[in-house]
Amino acid sequence: MVLEAETAALCEWARQQRAQKSPFEAARAIARRLGAHVADGGTTAFGFWLPEVRERGIHPKCVFLELFEPLGEVDFHLPMQELPFRRHLVPLVCDDDYYWVVLSGLTAGNRERVGALYWVRCQDNEGNWWTRPDYLPWSSPFGAFAPAELYDRARLNRERADLGYFQGLPRDADGMAWIEPSVNLLEIHPPTACAETSLAGLTRIFAGIARKLTEGKPLTPFEQCYAGYDGVQLMPIEPTVTFENGPSFFEIHDDQPGADGALVTLRRPTACNWGYDVVVSGMSAVNPRLLESSRPDELVDFIATLHTFPGRPIKVVFDLVYGHADNQALTLLNRHFVAGPNMYGQNLNYRHPVVRAILLEMAARKMGFGADGLRVDGAQDFNYWDEEGSCLVHDDEFLLTMGHQPIAIAGMQYRPWTIFEDGRPWPREDYQLSSSYRALIEQDPRAFQWGPLTFAHNTPFASAFWISKWWRLEESAFLGEKWISGVANHDTRRRGAQTDPHSVSINRRLGDTLPDILLNAYDHIGFNLLFHAFLPGVPLDFINTNVRAPWGFLRNTDDRYAVKVMEEEWRSMLWQIDEQRYQRPDFFIRLKELGFLTFADLEYFMQNLARSMLATQNDVARVAQFFDSLAPSVAGPKPLDVAAMSVIARAWMDDMHAYCNVALHQEDLDAAQTAAMLAVRHFRQDNPWLAANLGDKDCFYFRRPVDGTVLVAGLRRHPENTRQVLLLLNLEGEPATLNVADMMPQAGSGWRQVLPDESPLPPKLTLSNGEGLVAVRNGPA
């Protein structure tokens, strides 16, 4: 039932906002009321921003809210089901470019039931119907391209199990809490971070670890890889791109808007993605691909499990992608959201007051699930061209506003810990030299940025990598207390595996094979000693690296560019696959079914694919013709045409996605190594003062002359002079014997080695490539 008085009051309120405030401030206030809001009395208010209605000359009375209510039980565990829905078209009330209605009698979703599904339907002057989604939903069980779900969000936060965590946050005089930074962080890609590929599966892992710690039971090597952190950063969990050629996850049979009913095919979302190819619309909700139950409660359960972790709470950081939109977003967003193409798809129009307000509201609603921090991806991409100054300007005001928005949980407010990935002037060629990685932390004393050794293009498997980056290590030591540090993350692992091993001089001391070299480069005890036990800032690790599992660019949704994506990524095979791994019966199932029975078969195909794509300028039809004439012939389906090439590309991406799941690699873990790495992280947790910059009396240097070995020494003093930490490390090179007194003459005596094991510090020791130790001495220096 339409509640006309309440609808009229909502329209009048919105008009007053526009009359009394600036365009942006009015848009910010109105954006908080957009979408669907369930009130305690059972009423629901809907609001949408639809400037395209006026621009297309459509009569406002041709704009409707379309509702779908299931007439049977929706089973989210089924891969596909057909269900009848009751269907309604409800006229929306026009208020300039906004449209409103308040209704009663609708079913709101919760943990046990599905709520009404909805979107906007408009009929143009030719009688054609077109659709607009809710840009700001609480739940999208069938993805961004389907109707959103009416959801009781207030109930979700009222019933969460970690209310005590929020109640216990220290607050300032105004009652506002500020989330303090974590001591260290673990980055997680939910679809590959557990066997179940869901947030519920991750929750079970952390709940199991918590239970064992409470009961004093030992952790398995696999569990140790998740332990020792007080912060978890989830890679993007927004609804993402979908399959270019379908099928749709919400498919209406004989779509007739205005009909009383509809038969709908529902498909469980299966589009795999690494998270950064977003369509912006619906980013306030959770990607249903990550929800075992398709209920947003699953995310709250995960956060609550970490907030109530024994010993100390684990903070949760969301990774928000607002620096660009994939081209698929053009079918969802109105034209005002888009400012033109870029290398990732489309730039967003942050300068438009309503777009700006909606994007900020998206971030606030997503953080309202209870996250402690937000990492803003690609912050250097938030820019615009200043016509008056004829220059490119970074929209730092927008970025800092996003980070300062208060988050409310059951009446308690806090401001999140904010992290920016900002490598400006990236993508300028000299960015590695000219980027300070400090642009935003110099404006906001509470903000952090990804440091230079965390940014994408780092290859620690290359010879002389560390000595060539020494100036950045020194900056990290004396300036890096507001940097996220370390070299193992989703971008560095991906970039590393993309490297042509024939084009770079490789540090062969890291392993006997390319897979071993890659894994050791990013997961090495010596490098972990450097970042976790000595350098300031917040060390970041990546779960795929901890478990020594593969990683890469995961995107199985392409059709038009699928073969090109496969060709660009094929070198990751050389770094992460060998014949033994390929022949495991649970790996590369789809490719084997297509006829690539050995790794040699696949490598031969990929090598020729790379050559022919280059020669034909990515003309897949000509590439297929070339393969048909190749001798010896390639394995795979016959005949090899454009369609078959797309099938191979999809199989490649799906198999690589499965191959990257960490649960499939736990049996290869070395218990001694995982225990040693965990001990290093515990040392960081026990010495949080290491997060601060090195002081005037501290030192950090390498032995000169290098003479084939980068021997590093460092000495840090507790600010109250109650403890000192000594680092000795062969960062790269030949084994070297050193005399501690000669290497660090100012250190003195009385040291006790604590990492990688506990023993008296010998006066003389030999360190091989990547080996190191940390010693401590208590009392004044």
Side-chain angles (χ1 to χ4, degrees):
M1 176 186 295
V2 175
L3 302 178
E4 295 183 358
E6 288 83 349
T7 302
L10 188 54
C11 293
E12 177 59 28
W13 171 84
R15 283 192 288 270
Q16 290 178 3
Q17 302 303 307
R18 297 195 301 276
Q20 298 170 5
K21 298 177 179 177
S22 69
F24 173 61
E25 289 304 323
R28 286 208 74 182
I30 292 172
R32 298 185 186 107
R33 305 289 289 272
L34 294 179
H37 297 266
V38 179
D40 290 338
T43 63
T44 304
F46 293 89
F48 305 94
W49 179 54
L50 302 167
E52 59 268 51
V53 172
R54 171 180 47 80
E55 293 164 355
R56 294 186 183 188
I58 297 173
H59 197 285
K61 291 188 177 181
C62 294
V63 183
F64 303 89
L65 173 71
E66 186 169 37
L67 294 161
F68 297 86
E69 296 179 290
L71 294 174
E73 182 180 354
V74 178
D75 187 346
F76 286 111
H77 296 94
L78 292 177
M80 186 175 75
Q81 58 194 307
E82 285 188 359
L83 277 181
F85 280 77
R86 185 181 297 112
R87 189 176 190 179
H88 309 278
L89 277 184
V90 179
L92 289 166
V93 177
C94 176
D95 167 34
D96 193 49
D97 284 340
Y98 296 97
Y99 286 77
W100 308 94
V101 72
V102 181
L103 302 176
S104 64
L106 295 179
T107 299
N110 58 29
R111 189 184 291 269
E112 289 79 29
R113 72 184 179 210
V114 179
L117 306 177
Y118 67 93
W119 56 19
V120 173
R121 277 292 182 98
C122 304
Q123 190 174 35
D124 64 22
N125 297 328
E126 284 74 43
N128 301 312
W129 289 90
W130 52 277
T131 306
R132 276 289 179 258
D134 179 3
Y135 298 137
L136 294 157
W138 303 117
S139 176
S140 294
F142 302 102
F145 296 84
E149 179 190 6
L150 181 62
Y151 208 80
D152 187 354
R153 175 62 179 270
R155 186 269 325 160
L156 190 151
N157 274 336
R158 281 198 309 269
E159 297 177 0
R160 61 190 304 143
D162 58 348
L163 288 177
Y165 169 81
F166 294 103
Q167 292 167 348
L169 292 173
R171 304 181 184 280
D172 58 22
D174 297 326
M176 180 69 67
W178 290 84
I179 301 294
E180 295 299 322
S182 296
V183 174
N184 54 5
L185 276 172
L186 176 65
E187 185 181 28
I188 286 176
H189 178 246
T192 59
C194 60
E196 300 91 336
T197 74
S198 66
L199 289 169
L202 275 176
T203 301
R204 285 189 280 271
I205 288 177
F206 280 98
I209 294 171
R211 185 167 53 253
K212 284 188 174 182
L213 293 177
T214 301
E215 297 172 355
K217 295 180 179 178
L219 302 181
T220 67
F222 183 61
E223 291 169 330
Q224 288 176 335
C225 294
Y226 294 82
Y229 299 94
D230 71 336
V232 164
Q233 177 183 302
L234 294 175
M235 287 174 63
I237 56 173
E238 285 74 74
T240 184
V241 293
T242 191
F243 299 111
E244 290 180 343
N245 285 340
S248 171
F249 302 136
F250 185 89
E251 182 180 353
I252 305 171
H253 298 219
D254 188 24
D255 188 10
Q256 297 291 329
D260 291 336
L263 183 65
V264 179
T265 295
L266 304 174
R267 295 181 177 90
R268 184 168 177 80
T270 56
C272 300
N273 190 270
W274 66 329
Y276 295 95
D277 299 309
V278 298
V279 291
V280 176
S281 178
M283 288 177 66
S284 51
V286 185
N287 183 354
R289 167 66 179 81
L290 309 180
L291 299 175
E292 188 176 284
S293 62
S294 293
R295 306 288 79 202
D297 303 67
E298 203 168 307
L299 175 59
V300 172
D301 291 345
F302 172 76
I303 295 172
T305 297
L306 269 63
H307 281 169
T308 57
F309 203 77
R312 69 177 76 194
I314 299 175
K315 299 179 176 71
V316 177
V317 177
F318 285 171
D319 192 345
L320 302 182
V321 186
Y322 290 95
H324 61 274
D326 186 89
N327 287 325
Q328 288 190 24
L330 295 175
T331 65
L332 296 172
L333 305 174
N334 69 54
R335 68 177 182 86
H336 300 281
F337 277 90
V338 180
N342 63 22
M343 68 176 70
Y344 308 113
Q346 299 292 325
N347 290 306
L348 296 180
N349 186 12
Y350 312 105
R351 306 301 291 171
H352 190 290
V354 183
V355 173
R356 193 179 186 89
I358 288 176
L359 294 175
L360 289 170
E361 178 64 14
M362 281 182 184
R365 291 192 189 185
K366 188 53 145 299
M367 294 296 295
F369 280 98
D372 301 273
L374 73 156
R375 178 223 182 226
V376 181
D377 179 72
Q380 70 276 345
D381 298 327
F382 292 72
N383 52 51
Y384 62 94
W385 182 257
D386 180 13
E387 295 286 352
E388 184 175 339
S390 296
C391 61
L392 192 68
V393 177
H394 290 275
D395 198 341
D396 293 342
E397 179 184 2
F398 177 76
L399 292 169
L400 297 175
T401 300
M402 188 187 303
H404 287 171
Q405 291 186 111
I407 309 303
I409 299 293
M412 297 165 285
Q413 286 196 322
Y414 65 94
R415 284 196 168 92
W417 174 36
T418 309
I419 303 167
F420 298 102
E421 182 207 26
D422 192 307
R424 67 184 72 175
W426 160 263
R428 206 172 77 191
E429 283 189 5
D430 68 338
Y431 86 93
Q432 293 198 35
L433 180 67
S434 55
S435 178
S436 70
Y437 301 92
R438 302 185 61 79
L440 289 156
I441 56 180
E442 288 175 351
Q443 299 179 58
D444 181 359
R446 289 185 174 271
F448 276 61
Q449 285 189 224
W450 273 34
L453 293 169
T454 310
F455 207 67
H457 297 81
N458 287 301
T459 54
F461 51 79
S463 294
F465 170 83
W466 290 105
I467 195 64
S468 69
K469 294 283 188 179
W470 181 259
W471 64 289
R472 286 299 196 186
L473 284 172
E474 280 194 321
E475 284 186 340
S476 297
F478 294 96
L479 301 172
E481 64 184 4
K482 292 298 181 70
W483 277 346
I484 306 299
S485 68
V487 294
N489 60 69
H490 74 274
D491 250 343
T492 54
R493 277 290 309 275
R494 174 177 69 104
R495 295 292 188 184
Q498 287 176 331
T499 304
D500 183 350
H502 304 296
S503 67
V504 62
S505 177
I506 297 172
N507 179 4
R508 298 286 175 178
R509 300 182 184 89
L510 287 169
D512 297 327
T513 67
L514 287 180
D516 288 341
I517 289 170
L518 184 77
L519 292 174
N520 288 330
Y522 293 102
D523 181 45
H524 203 290
I525 185 66
F527 308 153
N528 275 273
L529 290 174
L530 176 65
F531 289 106
H532 278 274
F534 189 81
L535 289 179
V538 177
L540 172 77
D541 295 329
F542 184 36
I543 189 60
N544 289 65
T545 297
N546 286 10
V547 185
R548 302 175 78 79
W551 176 249
F553 177 66
L554 305 178
R555 177 171 166 143
N556 73 345
T557 55
D558 294 81
D559 183 71
R560 181 179 178 185
Y561 294 111
V563 177
K564 186 175 185 294
V565 170
M566 176 173 62
E567 183 274 326
E568 290 175 346
E569 295 296 312
W570 82 273
R571 291 182 183 86
S572 65
M573 292 172 32
L574 305 176
W575 288 101
Q576 301 186 110
I577 310 171
D578 56 25
E579 195 66 56
Q580 182 180 359
R581 289 176 172 89
Y582 192 83
Q583 290 305 328
R584 264 186 53 169
D586 51 345
F587 289 160
F588 304 102
I589 296 171
R590 300 165 187 83
L591 287 169
K592 290 171 186 173
E593 289 176 347
L594 292 176
F596 298 98
L597 302 181
T598 68
F599 180 58
D601 290 340
L602 185 60
E603 185 176 2
Y604 180 62
F605 175 90
M606 291 293 188
Q607 287 173 338
N608 283 285
L609 177 67
R611 297 187 187 106
S612 56
M613 288 287 280
L614 179 63
T616 65
Q617 296 184 321
N618 303 318
D619 187 330
V620 179
R622 291 174 62 195
V623 169
Q625 292 174 356
F626 165 76
F627 273 121
D628 276 341
S629 62
L630 194 64
S633 63
V634 296
K638 302 291 188 299
L640 197 60
D641 53 16
V642 173
M645 295 286 282
S646 295
V647 169
I648 295 170
R650 173 66 183 273
W652 150 258
M653 194 59 71
D654 284 339
D655 276 347
M656 281 301 296
H657 186 275
Y659 184 54
C660 291
N661 191 294
V662 298
L664 301 177
H665 301 270
Q666 56 181 304
E667 63 189 47
D668 298 326
L669 288 170
D670 183 324
Q673 181 185 15
T674 59
M677 296 294 191
L678 179 58
V680 173
R681 298 194 292 271
H682 281 157
F683 183 82
R684 184 69 169 206
Q685 293 283 331
D686 294 338
N687 293 274
W689 60 274
L690 293 172
N693 289 333
L694 271 66
D696 294 339
K697 296 181 179 180
D698 298 332
C699 55
F700 181 59
Y701 54 84
F702 64 90
R703 185 187 67 179
R704 292 176 171 86
V706 171
D707 196 23
T709 306
V710 184
L711 278 180
V712 173
L715 177 63
R716 298 199 60 177
R717 296 170 174 84
H718 190 282
E720 297 177 3
N721 201 25
T722 57
R723 167 173 272 209
Q724 299 86 49
V725 171
L726 172 67
L727 170 73
L728 297 171
L729 173 63
N730 179 343
L731 200 51
E732 181 187 344
E734 297 284 349
T737 300
L738 61 89
N739 185 299
V740 176
D742 293 340
M743 187 72 185
M744 180 68 76
Q746 62 271 55
S749 59
W751 293 93
R752 176 174 55 89
Q753 179 180 323
V754 293
L755 294 171
D757 51 45
E758 295 204 26
S759 60
L761 180 65
K764 200 172 191 178
L765 64 151
T766 299
L767 298 176
S768 297
N769 183 93
E771 288 186 341
L773 63 85
V774 167
V776 298
R777 182 175 59 188
N778 294 324

